[in-house]
Amino acid sequence: TVKTMIRLNVFVRVDEARRAEFLEIAKKLTECSLKEEGCVAYDVFESATRHDVLMICETWKDDEALRAHEQTTHFVTYVGQMHSLGEMKQERFNF
């Protein structure tokens, strides 16, 4: 099988009152994720035009690395917290 890299764009809508808390958690998740084997890139972006929109952009070397990431304690903990603070939608691209 051919291994392909994976890019996830996770779009988030978060109320102003919860935005700072969400960003703090997202930054912790980013810090932990960047240390994982197979993580090519991981960052959080803020929309220049919509203050309630953020995006987490992550790149993984393959499905195996992404699956391992999704099993980590920090992923389960932080993503659970983030879901309680905002509305999240994911796009996935294989390349």
Side-chain angles (χ1 to χ4, degrees):
T1 56
V2 176
K3 288 193 174 194
T4 59
M5 290 211 300
I6 299 157
R7 158 75 49 79
L8 296 180
N9 294 330
V10 182
F11 292 93
V12 182
R13 240 179 119 199
V14 62
D15 290 334
E16 179 66 33
R18 302 176 125 189
R19 189 174 188 275
E21 185 181 358
F22 186 96
L23 271 173
E24 188 178 311
I25 295 166
K27 287 175 186 175
K28 289 178 187 173
L29 177 61
T30 299
E31 191 178 302
C32 293
S33 300
L34 283 169
K35 296 173 184 170
E36 290 181 54
E37 174 123 5
C39 181
V40 177
Y42 208 104
D43 207 345
V44 182
F45 297 92
E46 302 177 54
S47 172
T49 56
R50 294 184 55 198
H51 200 62
D52 63 331
V53 175
L54 307 167
M55 183 181 78
I56 299 169
C57 182
E58 47 189 286
T59 306
W60 296 92
K61 77 175 175 112
D62 56 27
D63 246 336
E64 191 178 347
L66 177 57
R67 277 198 304 276
H69 166 65
E70 292 170 343
Q71 301 301 312
T72 62
T73 302
H74 58 263
F75 176 88
V76 173
T77 302
Y78 293 140
V79 171
Q81 292 171 353
M82 291 183 340
H83 272 291
S84 72
L85 295 171
E87 184 183 324
M88 298 169 69
K89 184 182 86 171
Q90 177 180 290
E91 296 176 343
R92 176 183 168 131
F93 304 94
N94 295 334
F95 62 99

